[in-house]
Amino acid sequence: NDFILVRIFYWGWIVFAYEYPFLPFILLFTFMMFKKKNPFFYALIVGLLLALMIFAGSGIIFLYATLILGFLFFFQLVFKPSKQQFFFLVLFGIIIVLVTFGLAAFKIMPVREYLAMSARNLSYQESSSRSLVVPMVFTDIVNMMGVIAFLV
């Protein structure tokens, strides 16, 4: 219900509320993957949930979730150091990344293509008003006045 969401997130930014419910499930299935009871299945589920996070909202919670997963993988390797554990984490980390970005590709790819055409692709000097050299201010104002006079 949107009324309940507005009451909980009264400051706005309801889009974050759609990503948060996936986080406990991601952590649950990651811990189940670490127990090595059918880890391939749980890696697929974690990748699917991360892809759903990308679809659900803004992406900042997805960033936090990937940081948490990175810390979990790091601490798993620190507290259980072995070559087998290292290869386990690398293999299932790659599976999670492939599943996540494979399923979310049709949302990510158009955004990347549009980003290349948008103003965000410009440098700071090109996109800000500070790129105008001071002696050229008068010339630009005269040119603008000529265009305005022509239009009137």
Side-chain angles (χ1 to χ4, degrees):
N1 190 344
D2 288 337
F3 178 74
I4 295 172
L5 283 175
V6 170
R7 300 305 272 169
I8 294 172
F9 294 94
Y10 60 88
W11 64 85
W13 300 99
I14 295 175
V15 77
F16 295 137
Y18 299 129
E19 285 183 289
Y20 277 120
F22 294 112
L23 196 55
F25 293 111
I26 290 171
L27 295 175
L28 171 73
F29 289 121
T30 302
F31 286 128
M32 290 175 81
M33 182 184 71
F34 288 156
K35 291 195 184 267
K36 297 184 180 175
K37 204 172 195 181
N38 200 358
F40 183 75
F41 173 74
Y42 293 122
L44 290 176
I45 296 294
V46 170
L48 173 70
L49 290 172
L50 285 172
L52 287 174
M53 275 184 111
I54 292 174
F55 294 138
S58 66
I60 192 73
I61 309 303
F62 172 77
L63 174 67
Y64 296 150
T66 55
L67 286 174
I68 291 169
L69 278 179
F71 285 130
L72 286 175
F73 275 46
F74 176 73
F75 287 125
Q76 187 73 14
L77 186 62
V78 168
F79 291 121
K80 294 183 181 177
S82 70
K83 285 185 179 180
Q84 182 183 6
Q85 184 70 14
F86 176 75
F87 289 123
F88 172 83
L89 292 174
V90 169
L91 174 68
F92 289 105
I94 290 172
I95 290 171
I96 289 171
V97 168
L98 288 176
V99 169
T100 300
F101 291 112
L103 292 175
F106 72 90
K107 182 174 181 179
I108 296 172
M109 298 305 268
V111 170
R112 286 192 49 147
E113 184 178 340
Y114 178 71
L115 198 62
M117 297 183 293
S118 71
R120 291 186 178 212
N121 194 29
L122 302 175
S123 68
Y124 175 74
Q125 285 76 22
E126 291 171 333
S127 62
S128 71
S129 62
R130 292 180 179 88
S131 64
L132 187 62
V133 182
V134 176
M136 294 196 57
V137 171
F138 182 72
T139 307
D140 285 345
I141 291 174
V142 170
N143 288 338
M144 203 172 6
M145 292 298 198
V147 169
I148 292 173
F150 178 74
L151 292 175
V152 174

